[in-house]
Amino acid sequence: MRIYLRSITKADTKLIVKWRNSPKVSAHCLNKRSVTEKSHLDFFEKNIETGQYQQYIVERIEEDFGVASYPIATVYLKDIDSFNRRCELCIFTSDDEEWNTESQSIAIKMLLDKAFNEFGLHKVHS
């Protein structure tokens, strides 16, 4: 299985709203309220655009019939404290069957690599 992480964009709003409002996903969230496109865009402007969160779409690379990719989940670093060089790691699951133990492990390793090597953090907790 090959996956990669790409930075989330505003164009991902419909997908994020669909995933977040899925009963299988929302059952694991602390906040059970539904997410709207407006509330997601507000979140995006407040947290993603300011750098408080580094959020990525996890995409599966399909090579059987040419090269294509498609989103299967999202992972992110939140509450990034640049002074103390720490943050929290979060997984925002989708209800896609491809989001399994193998893809989760790969995505988390890739996100930790970004946290330590790209952002220079020293501590990541969940």
Side-chain angles (χ1 to χ4, degrees):
M1 171 180 294
R2 289 193 41 204
I3 66 170
Y4 74 98
L5 305 182
R6 69 164 174 81
S7 295
I8 191 173
T9 67
K10 286 184 177 181
D12 295 309
T13 296
K14 287 185 187 296
L15 181 61
I16 294 295
V17 169
K18 176 186 167 203
W19 284 345
R20 175 57 178 78
N21 291 333
S22 163
K24 287 169 57 176
V25 173
S26 64
H28 299 284
C29 297
L30 291 176
N31 183 344
K32 305 292 186 207
R33 283 182 270 167
S34 293
V35 174
T36 64
E37 288 186 25
K38 181 178 180 341
S39 67
H40 172 73
L41 290 171
D42 290 345
F43 168 86
F44 189 94
E45 290 172 5
K46 179 182 175 191
N47 296 292
I48 305 297
E49 289 181 345
T50 63
Q52 279 296 114
Y53 285 47
Q54 293 294 325
Q55 188 169 3
Y56 301 91
I57 297 293
V58 180
E59 293 210 343
R60 167 89 190 256
I61 300 171
E62 180 60 58
E63 298 175 304
D64 291 341
F65 304 103
V67 177
S69 66
Y70 52 92
I72 60 172
T74 183
V75 293
Y76 56 100
L77 303 172
K78 76 177 217 175
D79 300 330
I80 298 171
D81 178 348
S82 298
F83 181 79
N84 293 303
R85 300 172 81 170
R86 62 183 175 204
C87 70
E88 183 176 349
L89 181 147
C90 299
I91 299 172
F92 186 98
T93 63
S94 71
D95 55 0
D96 192 304
E97 64 188 39
E98 306 240 9
W99 186 237
N100 55 40
T101 304
E102 181 183 12
S103 60
Q104 290 173 15
S105 294
I106 295 168
I108 290 169
K109 286 176 186 173
M110 294 172 84
L111 188 60
L112 287 171
D113 182 63
K114 284 184 173 294
F116 296 123
N117 297 315
E118 187 175 325
F119 301 117
L121 301 174
H122 290 173
K123 183 175 184 178
V124 177
H125 60 93
S126 59

